[in-house]
Amino acid sequence: MTAPSNETIVVKVGSSLLVNEDASLRRDWVQTLVSDIAQRHADGASVIIVSSGSIALGARKLGLKKGGRASLSDAQAAASVGQIALSSLWSELLAEHGITAAQMLLTLDDMENRKRYLNATATLEKLLEHRAIPVINENDSVATDEIRFGDNDRLAARVAQAASADRVILLSDIDGLYDRTPGSETEGQIIGLVEEVDARIMAMADGSTSSGLGSGGMISKLEAARIANLAGIEMSIISGREDYPLERYALSGVGTLFKASGNANARKSWLGGGLTSAGTIMVDAGAAEALRGGGSLLAAGIITISGQFDRSDVVEITDPDENIIARGLAEYNAMDCVKLIGHRNSEHEALLGYTPRSAVVHRNQMVLV
Ligand code: GLU
C-alpha cells in the first residue's frame, strides 16, 4: 500500500528491461511493474510511462546487427516493428487493471517548437484528466539524426516538464549513480542523494550502458537530471532488474535521488527566461486576482490586447494599472484573442469557427512575475 497521492509521476523504462535475448518481451517483469503503477494510480497519482525498447525488439525480430543501430534506416525500420508489440504489451497489461493506455510518439521538435509543445501538453493534460496512462516513446521511425532526442532519459525529463510532473523515475539495469574515480576499475559506492549535477557528478558518468541495448547511459541520465532539476522536478535512478521495482524502491530507498531545484518557481521559469514578449494582455481586477491565485487566463476577464503575437508566443499579462502580473504562452494569435475579449468559454467555438482551447493562457504555461 502506498499513501494517497495526487502527484504526477513519469516512469521511464529502459530497453534492456523490456526485451529478452530471444526477441521476446519480458512480459512477467513488466506485469509486476504495471501492478506497482496500477497501485499508485488507484491511490490517486497520475502516471506517464516513457517506454524504450522498440529498436531493440524490432532489431531482434528482423535479425538486424548491432541491436538495430548500425544505420539510421535500420533503427527506423526496427522501431516500427518493435513499437507495435511494445504498445500492445502496455495496453494489455494496463487493461488488466482497468486502466486505459494512450500511445504518444514524440520527436524533439514536439518539445522544442512551442506551438507543438502546447499541443503535446494539452493532449497529456486531457489524457491524465481522464485517468488514462500515456505511454510515450520517441517517434523513431520518422525522427532523423538532427531531430532525435536519441535517448529516452532526456525525453522523460522533457515530458515531465511538459506535464508539470512532480517526479521522474528512471528504471535501469544499473541501480544508481556510483561514486567512482574516472579510469579506475573498481566500483565505488552508490550515491544516495545528489543536490546538484555539477562537474564532479558529471565526471562519474562514463557514457556507456551496461547492456548496450539502449542509447542512454549515465551521461544522458545526468543530463535528464539537469533538465528535471531546473524544472523543479525530482528524479531518481533505480534498478529495474527485480520484480515490483517501484514498491522495492519505496521500501528500500536504494537508488540515486536527484533533488529538485529549491526555487519554487523553477518549474516554469524556463518559459519566460530570455524570451521577449510579443504582446500584452490587460485583464480586469477579478481576472488578475484569479491569476495570482493560480488560475488560467480566461477571455472573459480580458480588457485589451496589444501586439501582433502568434499562437505560442510569449505574452505579458497586466492588471488594469499596467502592472505586469505574469508571462505565458498564448494559446491563440492576437486576432483570435481580440474576437474572444469579454466572452465566456461557451461562446468561443461560435466566435472562432473551430474547437477552442480551455484558456487564453493556461496556468501550466504561465509564470507569475
Ligand atoms: N526510443 C528508443 C527505443 O524505443 C530508445 C532510446 C533509448 O535507448 O533511450 O528503442
Side-chain angles (χ1 to χ4, degrees):
M1 274 293 286
T2 46
S5 140
N6 54 9
E7 63 174 10
T8 300
I9 315 169
V10 175
V11 178
K12 183 254 169 179
V13 193
S15 299
S16 58
L17 300 174
L18 285 158
V19 187
N20 285 314
E21 284 297 324
D22 64 356
S24 60
L25 284 160
R26 289 184 67 218
R27 192 186 171 90
D28 291 351
W29 176 80
V30 180
Q31 213 155 17
T32 72
L33 169 62
V34 167
S35 153
D36 279 356
I37 288 174
Q39 180 66 59
R40 279 145 187 82
H41 187 263
D43 290 340
S46 296
V47 184
I48 297 171
I49 296 170
V50 174
S51 174
S52 299
S54 68
I55 298 176
L57 182 63
R60 284 183 180 169
K61 280 189 193 279
L62 292 175
L64 296 171
K65 281 184 250 145
K66 293 193 178 167
R69 292 170 193 269
S71 69
L72 183 61
S73 56
D74 274 10
Q76 294 186 320
S80 19
V81 170
Q83 187 61 39
I84 289 186
L86 209 53
S87 306
S88 50
L89 175 80
W90 287 112
S91 158
E92 255 174 55
L93 296 184
L94 286 164
E96 284 174 9
H97 296 269
I99 300 171
T100 303
Q103 174 176 268
M104 283 179 80
L105 298 179
L106 300 173
T107 57
L108 183 60
D109 203 38
D110 294 321
M111 294 285 111
E112 298 293 334
N113 168 309
R114 275 180 287 134
K115 257 183 215 154
R116 300 173 68 139
Y117 170 83
L118 284 183
N119 288 337
T121 53
T123 307
L124 275 174
E125 190 183 12
K126 186 59 78 176
L127 289 169
L128 296 179
E129 187 186 311
H130 287 271
R131 304 295 291 147
I133 293 196
V135 179
I136 296 177
N137 195 358
E138 185 166 14
N139 197 353
D140 292 306
S141 52
V142 297
T144 57
D145 267 342
E146 312 80 71
I147 59 166
R148 295 191 72 205
F149 271 103
D151 68 82
N152 277 357
D153 299 319
R154 285 177 303 150
L155 176 62
R158 295 305 309 264
V159 163
Q161 196 176 41
S164 296
D166 299 281
R167 67 187 65 253
V168 180
I169 300 178
L170 302 183
L171 287 169
S172 175
D173 51 6
I174 174 159
D175 52 4
L177 174 68
Y178 280 80
D179 175 10
R180 68 174 135 222
T181 322
S184 114
E185 291 292 300
T186 49
E187 291 272 284
Q189 295 285 312
I190 192 163
I191 302 181
L193 181 70
V194 175
E195 303 266 354
E196 198 193 337
V197 184
D198 53 18
R200 192 182 63 89
I201 294 291
M202 282 310 277
M204 292 174 192
D206 61 6
S208 65
T209 49
S210 38
S211 66
L213 277 182
S215 56
M218 197 46 81
I219 289 181
S220 70
K221 289 181 178 45
L222 295 182
E223 279 167 0
R226 263 195 182 147
I227 297 171
N229 174 277
L230 282 177
I233 301 168
E234 241 176 52
M235 194 189 95
S236 314
I237 301 174
I238 64 169
S239 168
R241 280 204 221 97
E242 298 83 14
D243 290 349
Y244 302 100
L246 300 183
E247 200 49 34
R248 280 180 75 98
Y249 177 53
L251 297 174
S252 72
V254 174
T256 301
L257 174 69
F258 297 83
K259 271 184 71 167
S261 153
N263 176 356
N265 221 0
R267 171 172 298 182
K268 292 174 182 173
S269 60
W270 65 276
L271 261 184
L275 298 169
T276 47
S277 71
T280 305
I281 300 180
M282 182 187 281
V283 301
D284 63 27
E289 205 183 310
L291 294 187
R292 289 197 179 101
S296 295
L297 170 60
L298 304 180
I302 298 178
I303 303 174
T304 57
I305 285 172
S306 55
Q308 280 308 317
F309 52 89
D310 207 348
R311 173 158 186 260
S312 85
D313 279 348
V314 175
V315 290
E316 278 174 356
I317 305 168
T318 73
D319 68 11
D321 299 323
E322 295 184 22
N323 301 309
I324 300 172
I325 318 166
R327 290 156 68 86
L329 305 186
E331 294 280 357
Y332 300 102
N333 64 29
M335 242 165 57
D336 283 355
C337 278
V338 168
K339 289 186 200 157
L340 302 180
I341 291 181
H343 290 282
R344 297 178 170 284
N345 281 18
S346 55
E347 303 167 275
H348 291 188
E349 182 153 12
L351 291 163
L352 295 169
Y354 58 83
T355 314
R357 304 264 154 188
S358 61
V360 174
V361 179
H362 191 281
R363 61 177 192 282
N364 285 353
Q365 319 303 345
M366 197 191 294
V367 196
L368 292 176
V369 176

